[in-house]
Amino acid sequence: MTTEREGSKPYQEILETVPDMVYVMDFEFQFTYINDAVVTVTGYDRDEVLGADASLLLDEEALEEGAWNRDQLRSGNIEFGGLETELKTAGNGRIPCEIRGQLFPANDDGTKTGTAGIIRDITDRKERERELQS
């Protein structure tokens, strides 16, 4: 899957400008696109993430929930998938995040090629929740 299409420059600029992390994954859970925010937040080089399995950034539980979401999307049971988990960083840290994804638009033959979504760092929200509970 390529990320560059003729006339896609405005879309590319949008994806690189949004503060949230944006990704595209194929159905084997390998990253085919990430925006600059993924690189900045995780500390991984773009080349380390592109083509890598999602297990680079997500633990087993998140992968299982992601697979369930993907299956539900494919069967039409849900409009978008979502989960709350922690993102693994290059420095062995963990960042609380919320992931929302949807099926990536179909190829010309109508087949879906994977999922696209947003990963939002929810560290501040989690800290506020902890403060309210104390």
Side-chain angles (χ1 to χ4, degrees):
M1 165 186 259
T2 60
T3 60
E4 294 297 320
R5 289 185 274 168
E6 189 174 319
S8 67
K9 186 164 175 42
Y11 298 110
Q12 189 71 26
E13 289 173 352
I14 291 167
L15 293 172
E16 294 303 333
T17 302
V18 296
D20 291 328
M21 294 169 269
V22 178
Y23 71 89
V24 175
M25 251 185 244
D26 63 20
F27 279 132
E28 283 75 44
F29 287 109
Q30 292 180 328
F31 290 100
T32 59
Y33 171 82
I34 58 169
N35 70 349
D36 288 344
V38 174
V39 173
T40 301
V41 172
T42 66
Y44 285 103
D45 291 333
R46 183 176 304 277
D47 291 339
E48 288 178 277
V49 179
L50 289 176
D53 188 81
S55 62
L56 177 70
L57 302 180
L58 302 170
D59 63 22
E60 189 63 35
E61 185 178 331
L63 292 172
E64 288 174 12
E65 192 169 347
W68 181 87
N69 276 297
R70 181 200 56 207
D71 293 344
Q72 295 299 305
L73 286 165
R74 287 173 100 172
S75 66
N77 293 333
I78 59 175
E79 186 177 339
F80 61 87
L83 67 112
E84 200 172 288
T85 188
E86 291 183 333
L87 204 60
K88 299 187 290 189
T89 68
N92 294 320
R94 299 277 181 154
I95 298 170
C97 67
E98 178 179 76
I99 303 173
R100 293 177 56 103
Q102 196 165 27
L103 292 177
F104 196 71
N107 284 333
D108 293 338
D109 65 3
T111 59
K112 300 288 185 178
T113 58
T115 57
I118 302 285
I119 305 170
R120 177 167 288 154
D121 181 341
I122 58 170
T123 301
D124 292 341
R125 184 176 89 197
K126 289 296 188 184
E127 288 174 3
R128 283 192 304 276
E129 288 174 2
R130 278 192 292 276
E131 288 172 6
L132 290 172
Q133 290 175 352
S134 347

